[in-house]
Amino acid sequence: LPAAGPGPARRPGGRRGARDAMSLRERIPGGAVEAGEDAAAALVEPDAPDRCLSLLPWDRFSAWLHCVCVVGFDLELGQAVEVIYPPHSKLTDKEKTNICYLSFPDSNSGCLGDTQFCFRFRRSPARKVSLCCFLDQLERDLPVYLKKDPAYYYGYVYFRQVRDKSLKRGYFQKSLVLISKLPYVHLFRTMLKQIAPEYFEKSDAFLEAVCSDVDRWPPPIPGKILHLPIMGIIMKLRIPTYRDKPGTTSIVQNMHQAGAQISVTLPTIHEVDLFRCFCPVFFHIQMLWELVLLGEPLVVMAPSPSESSETVLALVSCISPLKYCSDFRPYFTIHDSEFKEYTTRTQAPPSVILGVTNPFFAKTLQHWPHIIRIGDIKLPGEVPKQVKVKKLKNLKTLDSKPGVYTSYKPYLNKDEEIVKQLQKGVQQKRPTEAQSVILRRYFLELTESFIIPLERYVASLMPLQKCISPWKSPPQLRQFSQDDFMKTLEKAGPQLTSGLKGDWIGLYRHFLKSPNFDGWFRSRQKEMTQKLEALHLEALCNENLVFWSQKHTEVETVDLVLKLKNKLLQADREHLPVKADTLKKLETHINDIILALPDDLQDILLKTGTT
């Protein structure tokens, strides 16, 4: 608080102080709390039934889903959005077009019967924010890789294609699509599996009932066991928190029948079957981990949207608990609004992972440096054979053999142990869930070995606590120095936790230029800056602020009060890591200072809530 430093006492400003306080008051919006915040509080506190009455219809629905769409095939128009529910849901024409094309498999996929997959697309800018923005406070308890990206929507699809001679086209083709900002792949996949088959029999009235059920769900609070009723079934799950030990899954009681309702327990809300997805490229998992870590451009060419979307999601998750910070599209088509941007040859391919099924992409994306070609995903009945990395020039069509096509040379030596362990599992017919657990633990340990030295170095950039003065602005973090960091690796590098040999230094140098490092470092910067703000607040609380105000003018005292109130608001808005007692102590200081001022100033300052 630079303007409130210690100094010689001056004559009180008298009426000038009051006038200045009035002018300050005019620049401050009223302290009234928006009604919406009360509603949000009711939503977050289910134990407040009376306050819940202030919730608008569909507020609970909006905490989970943006809308539900039905996409059908019209002989004249092609794919078209037939239904959007709830009816008031807003989608721009561009968003509707993207949803239309992304909700159907490419014609070459030949997906007869029922198919499930997911896609991701950019939201149109300048969208009005609803009450759900108040629910963003729930985000602070999520692991970083589960935080929603406000610029994107996910589409979760259940597509049905069956022969129907009564239709001109000879086929019934329709998709039920859940549009959400949440990356809860397994949850929405399970939900669609429960409701979609029945929807195709009962149509729109059933859809309305589904949405009404979702509008009765509790908010998506991390760390709590949630019971989500959906058409006679209760889905039981727990959303992870950032406090959970990485790699662990909370145990929720097994599936059981309670009265007339069946409870379905979800062991995860977001994970895919990792082993099944990586089976076609079994021997290259470590190289793929490097490519994803470094944010390299990657294309997954698959026979269907189901395989492409699951493989892309598996790739993105393999660097967990690091967040993959570039764009990724589990299913991408030639009609996508970013098609030209991502396939142009006039510049280097962007940092993005694309999942494609159209053979056209084999030619269009030939200039991309890393291409993963997978066939039909099926678990091997026997031990997979060693497969070499293939040269890009050998990739002519989508019919090329499965494998990884790249000229990339991995920085780290190959870990033969994990390959042997998984091969042994195949021989012993170990369940795919167990194989996935082994693979997920392997990726987790590899990522943690890589990131711990960076965490240790960045923690050293934090100023010492003795540098924090209540009468000065909080000190700045020291600058990140690549050279200084590299010097720390000799004694405190990944060799402390990993036995893998190779060019770790080269891998770090490459990583420091990647979007994943940029995203990770920004997140750490924000956390440490908030910690400094919290320590600054504690330092202020330990000062005798009333005594200080008595030695300074009314104008300076009013300025101090406003700045302290701003500090409180910042602590609440940014969820600073401050103890509740500290905030109460600061509120007491503020009230004591105000009560020592003249009555007219007291009235103004007591009504003043925000800046």
Side-chain angles (χ1 to χ4, degrees):
L1 300 170
R10 280 179 269 169
R11 275 174 65 189
R15 295 308 91 205
R16 179 175 159 238
R19 280 199 307 275
D20 280 20
M22 284 295 286
S23 65
L24 282 165
R25 176 70 183 88
E26 285 160 10
R27 297 202 299 270
I28 300 166
V33 178
E34 295 285 341
E37 290 192 35
D38 285 335
L43 194 57
V44 176
E45 297 167 26
D47 301 329
D50 297 334
R51 295 173 74 189
C52 283
L53 297 175
S54 62
L55 281 174
L56 295 171
W58 303 114
D59 278 344
R60 290 177 181 273
F61 177 92
S62 299
W64 292 92
L65 294 171
H66 177 67
C67 65
V68 180
C69 297
V70 177
V71 181
F73 191 88
D74 185 287
L75 277 174
E76 293 179 4
L77 301 173
Q79 281 128 258
V81 176
E82 295 176 352
V83 178
I84 298 177
Y85 209 90
H88 65 265
S89 303
K90 297 283 190 294
L91 288 171
T92 64
D93 289 342
K94 187 177 179 182
E95 287 169 342
K96 284 180 189 173
T97 302
N98 273 330
I99 290 168
C100 279
Y101 285 114
L102 290 166
S103 297
F104 271 41
D106 280 315
S107 55
N108 70 290
S109 295
C111 297
L112 267 177
D114 293 356
T115 306
Q116 281 191 260
F117 59 93
C118 85
F119 59 83
R120 188 171 179 262
F121 65 102
R122 277 187 198 160
R123 294 177 69 193
S124 296
R127 180 184 298 281
K128 286 185 180 178
V129 182
S130 68
L131 170 106
C132 268
C133 68
F134 295 111
L135 289 172
D136 287 348
Q137 60 183 294
L138 299 179
E139 284 251 308
R140 73 181 186 268
D141 289 331
L142 285 171
V144 66
Y145 53 87
L146 282 184
K147 291 181 190 287
K148 59 179 179 274
D149 187 329
Y152 290 89
Y153 278 132
Y154 284 85
Y156 300 99
V157 183
Y158 194 105
F159 170 72
R160 173 168 287 184
Q161 179 171 256
V162 290
R163 293 184 189 279
D164 188 337
K165 291 179 182 177
S166 67
L167 299 172
K168 280 186 182 180
R169 191 175 169 85
Y171 286 95
F172 170 89
Q173 293 175 305
K174 197 163 280 194
S175 284
L176 182 60
V177 189
L178 308 178
I179 303 296
S180 176
K181 286 175 279 195
L182 304 177
Y184 300 165
V185 185
H186 188 68
L187 164 62
F188 293 121
R189 182 184 174 85
T190 305
M191 178 180 166
L192 277 169
K193 204 178 282 186
Q194 299 292 345
I195 65 171
E198 206 168 341
Y199 164 73
F200 290 128
E201 304 298 326
K202 297 182 178 177
S203 74
D204 297 350
F206 179 78
L207 195 59
E208 188 173 344
V210 166
C211 293
S212 294
D213 269 0
V214 177
D215 198 39
R216 288 198 292 271
W217 286 5
I221 301 173
K224 286 195 172 183
I225 303 290
L226 302 177
H227 296 81
L228 311 181
I230 192 79
M231 303 315 290
I233 286 172
I234 293 177
M235 294 187 294
K236 198 166 158 187
L237 55 95
R238 179 185 178 275
I239 298 172
T241 77
Y242 72 89
R243 297 180 199 90
D244 295 352
K245 186 180 176 184
T248 58
T249 304
S250 64
I251 304 300
V252 185
Q253 285 179 3
N254 287 334
M255 186 166 144
H256 68 282
Q257 192 156 344
Q261 288 190 313
I262 297 171
S263 174
V264 178
T265 302
L266 276 64
T268 175
I269 58 163
H270 66 285
E271 291 172 351
V272 293
D273 189 336
L274 213 56
F275 180 66
R276 182 172 169 272
C277 294
F278 280 119
C279 246
V281 285
F282 190 80
F283 291 96
H284 311 304
I285 50 173
Q286 190 177 314
M287 180 176 70
L288 294 176
W289 173 82
E290 282 191 25
L291 292 173
V292 175
L293 180 76
L294 300 174
E296 286 288 305
L298 264 171
V299 187
V300 174
M301 293 184 174
S304 77
S306 179
E307 272 106 350
S308 87
S309 61
E310 286 197 17
T311 305
V312 169
L313 292 169
L315 286 166
V316 167
S317 73
C318 79
I319 60 167
S320 177
L322 263 185
K323 181 177 182 174
Y324 180 77
C325 295
S326 295
D327 191 8
F328 59 96
R329 303 300 176 92
Y331 176 49
F332 190 74
T333 76
I334 58 174
H335 303 287
D336 197 287
S337 51
E338 279 79 57
F339 174 74
K340 285 184 180 176
E341 176 189 338
Y342 283 168
T343 58
T344 179
R345 287 173 179 259
T346 57
Q347 57 193 43
S351 173
V352 63
I353 303 177
L354 298 181
V356 303
T357 62
N358 193 320
F360 180 71
F361 280 107
K363 186 177 180 182
T364 313
L365 299 177
Q366 241 180 347
H367 62 296
W368 276 49
H370 321 291
I371 296 172
I372 302 169
R373 169 76 179 96
I374 58 174
D376 294 316
I377 293 183
K378 51 181 181 288
L379 291 172
E382 54 190 42
V383 181
K385 293 176 182 175
Q386 177 76 34
V387 182
K388 288 184 179 178
V389 174
K390 296 174 170 61
K391 293 179 181 175
L392 282 165
K393 65 181 181 181
N394 294 336
L395 184 72
K396 297 289 193 299
T397 68
L398 209 62
D399 296 326
S400 300
K401 290 181 180 178
V404 179
Y405 294 77
T406 181
S407 56
Y408 177 81
K409 296 284 186 290
Y411 286 97
L412 304 181
N413 300 343
K414 193 166 184 175
D415 188 341
E416 299 291 349
E417 283 304 309
I418 183 64
V419 175
K420 287 176 186 174
Q421 197 176 357
L422 293 172
Q423 280 180 317
K424 189 177 179 182
V426 174
Q427 286 174 325
Q428 297 175 344
K429 296 187 168 34
R430 188 185 291 146
T432 176
E433 295 84 2
Q435 293 278 75
S436 286
V437 167
I438 292 168
L439 193 50
R440 190 167 278 112
R441 190 188 304 127
Y442 164 74
F443 282 136
L444 173 66
E445 289 172 359
L446 192 53
T447 304
E448 287 187 330
S449 290
F450 179 79
I451 211 70
I452 285 170
L454 273 163
E455 295 272 13
R456 193 181 289 116
Y457 170 72
V458 167
S460 74
L461 303 180
M462 187 86 164
L464 297 174
Q465 191 158 350
K466 66 182 182 183
C467 301
I468 298 169
S469 162
W471 304 115
K472 294 178 183 176
S473 296
Q476 298 290 307
L477 297 172
R478 290 194 295 115
Q479 289 290 314
F480 185 100
S481 162
Q482 181 172 317
D483 291 341
D484 288 349
F485 166 65
M486 292 299 175
K487 288 172 187 171
T488 67
L489 295 177
E490 189 179 343
K491 290 183 179 177
Q495 71 275 10
L496 297 181
T497 51
S498 173
L500 267 184
K501 304 295 181 185
D503 184 10
W504 285 98
I505 299 285
L507 187 62
Y508 279 113
R509 286 192 194 282
H510 196 152
F511 177 72
L512 295 180
K513 298 172 189 170
S514 75
N516 287 332
F517 168 72
D518 187 57
W520 173 82
F521 184 61
R522 282 172 189 269
S523 174
R524 285 293 174 272
Q525 262 185 321
K526 183 180 176 183
E527 283 175 22
M528 293 196 294
T529 302
Q530 288 183 335
K531 179 65 178 171
L532 285 171
E533 289 287 355
L535 291 170
H536 188 237
L537 260 179
E538 287 174 15
L540 275 165
C541 283
N542 294 329
E543 289 294 314
N544 188 339
L545 299 178
V546 176
F547 178 74
W548 180 93
S549 67
Q550 290 167 353
K551 293 184 171 294
H552 290 74
T553 66
E554 283 180 7
V555 173
E556 288 171 313
T557 302
V558 166
D559 189 47
L560 173 66
V561 168
L562 293 176
K563 285 181 175 177
L564 291 175
K565 285 196 169 197
N566 274 339
K567 283 277 184 188
L568 281 177
L569 287 166
Q570 181 193 13
D572 182 56
R573 184 176 61 247
E574 297 179 11
H575 313 298
L576 297 182
V578 188
K579 293 175 187 172
D581 290 349
T582 302
L583 296 178
K584 283 180 185 174
K585 195 174 175 184
L586 193 58
E587 282 177 6
T588 305
H589 278 326
I590 292 169
N591 290 332
D592 289 346
I593 294 169
I594 291 173
L595 292 173
L597 290 167
D599 292 347
D600 56 346
L601 272 179
Q602 283 186 36
D603 290 342
I604 294 167
L605 290 171
L606 287 170
K607 290 174 186 173
T608 301
T610 60
T611 57

